[in-house]
Amino acid sequence: MISEESESGNDTVSLVPANKENVDTLANLNAVLFPITYQKKFYIDCLACGPYTVMAQLNGSIVAAICCRLETHQDLGVRLYIMTLGVLAPYRRRGIANALLGHALRLAQQDPRIVDTYLHVQEYHVPTGYVGIKSVEKNEYLYVGNPKLDDHIKYVLIFHTGSPKNDQGMLLEIVKFDGYYGIKSKRFGKWLYAGNPKLDKERRHLLMFHEGDPTTDNDMRVGIFGSLVTAMAFKAFASVNG
């Protein structure tokens, strides 16, 4: 395990090399960070790269990773390809990505085999129009409709079978504001809300659609990273036009 100081000056990030014992942790992290599923060959290349592929651990939790591959070119020699670099949204702007990238670049500078390092940058946009948000675990879409919790809180969010293509209760609009996002139901025209009332002591952040809007209610503001809804860790799938 390697220690790196983050830019905040307060947090020590431990870099954990990827290996056969923890590769599932790396795969689970990438499943949250990126809207694509990497196949077995990807992780074989990661492990074959040795100490270049590492995960970042902060306060006991794995929060980021850099995945690399060594490529041998007949004319150029060995190149280091940085395949992915990602940090969970709550831990960004702490210098963790810099620590991961710096670690890989320092190793490359010390490795006489490597002639250069390269990467491709792909920007993931929040989808325009209406989207369906699908649970990775349950393989069902978020749905707004019946059953009603009570006469006042009737727009409770649940997972349900079906498809956004033929059910407006599954169509959601992601709207960008200044520094945050709001999620709006097409069916009811109301915004996603997480606040009172509490369902119970353990599940106090009941998700529902409610009167008001995110510009005046902090409980309606959510963070988005890539194509994922951060606070809920659900994958946002392709846009479905209403």
Side-chain angles (χ1 to χ4, degrees):
M1 190 175 291
I2 308 159
S3 292
E4 296 277 353
E5 294 295 327
S6 70
E7 286 183 348
S8 68
N10 298 319
D11 300 323
T12 299
V13 178
S14 298
L15 302 186
V16 182
N19 54 50
K20 292 181 180 179
E21 287 69 37
N22 62 22
V23 68
D24 286 345
T25 300
L26 177 61
N28 291 336
L29 177 67
N30 282 344
V32 174
L33 286 171
F34 305 109
I36 52 179
T37 300
Y38 293 102
Q39 302 303 312
K40 184 177 180 180
K41 178 63 166 59
F42 176 92
Y43 294 103
I44 290 175
D45 290 340
C46 287
L47 299 186
C49 202
Y52 289 95
T53 295
V54 294
M55 294 175 284
Q57 181 174 284
L58 181 64
N59 299 326
S61 299
I62 297 296
V63 300
I66 185 170
C67 295
C68 302
R69 179 174 73 205
L70 293 177
E71 298 181 345
T72 301
H73 297 263
Q74 185 174 359
D75 297 330
L76 297 175
V78 178
R79 308 181 74 190
L80 176 67
Y81 174 36
I82 298 174
M83 297 188 289
T84 61
L85 173 62
V87 183
L88 293 176
Y91 302 95
R92 292 174 186 168
R93 300 184 184 276
R94 300 191 187 190
I96 297 176
N98 283 343
L100 290 168
L101 185 60
H103 167 78
L105 293 178
R106 282 193 296 274
L107 287 179
Q109 289 175 344
Q110 298 165 8
D111 192 333
R113 302 172 299 165
I114 295 179
V115 295
D116 66 10
T117 301
Y118 76 104
L119 55 79
H120 294 112
V121 177
Q122 183 171 359
E123 184 176 357
Y124 295 109
H125 297 282
V126 175
T128 58
Y130 293 101
V131 300
I133 298 180
K134 191 175 186 180
S135 166
V136 176
E137 179 181 357
K138 297 182 180 299
N139 198 34
E140 294 179 347
Y141 284 92
L142 288 181
Y143 169 81
V144 189
N146 288 316
K148 298 178 181 179
L149 185 60
D150 59 36
D151 289 338
H152 301 289
I153 308 167
K154 54 190 175 185
Y155 307 123
V156 178
L157 202 60
I158 62 173
F159 283 106
H160 203 282
T161 57
S163 169
K165 293 181 180 180
N166 51 34
D167 192 334
Q168 285 201 359
M170 295 180 176
L171 289 178
L172 303 171
E173 183 181 9
I174 300 175
V175 181
K176 183 177 181 180
F177 294 91
D178 185 15
Y180 57 91
Y181 293 82
I183 298 179
K184 192 174 186 179
S185 165
K186 177 176 176 60
R187 181 175 182 179
F188 297 111
K190 298 182 184 296
W191 296 91
L192 185 67
Y193 169 85
N196 288 317
K198 297 179 180 179
L199 184 60
D200 56 42
K201 290 183 179 179
E202 299 299 325
R203 300 179 186 177
R204 56 178 178 256
H205 302 302
L206 179 67
L207 292 175
M208 68 189 80
F209 286 86
H210 203 280
E211 302 289 347
D213 69 78
T215 61
T216 57
D217 193 334
N218 287 337
D219 289 330
M220 292 183 174
R221 299 178 181 183
V222 297
I224 303 280
F225 61 98
S227 295
L228 302 179
V229 182
T230 304
M232 296 181 287
F234 302 141
K235 279 192 175 180
F237 279 60
S239 178
V240 181
N241 293 322

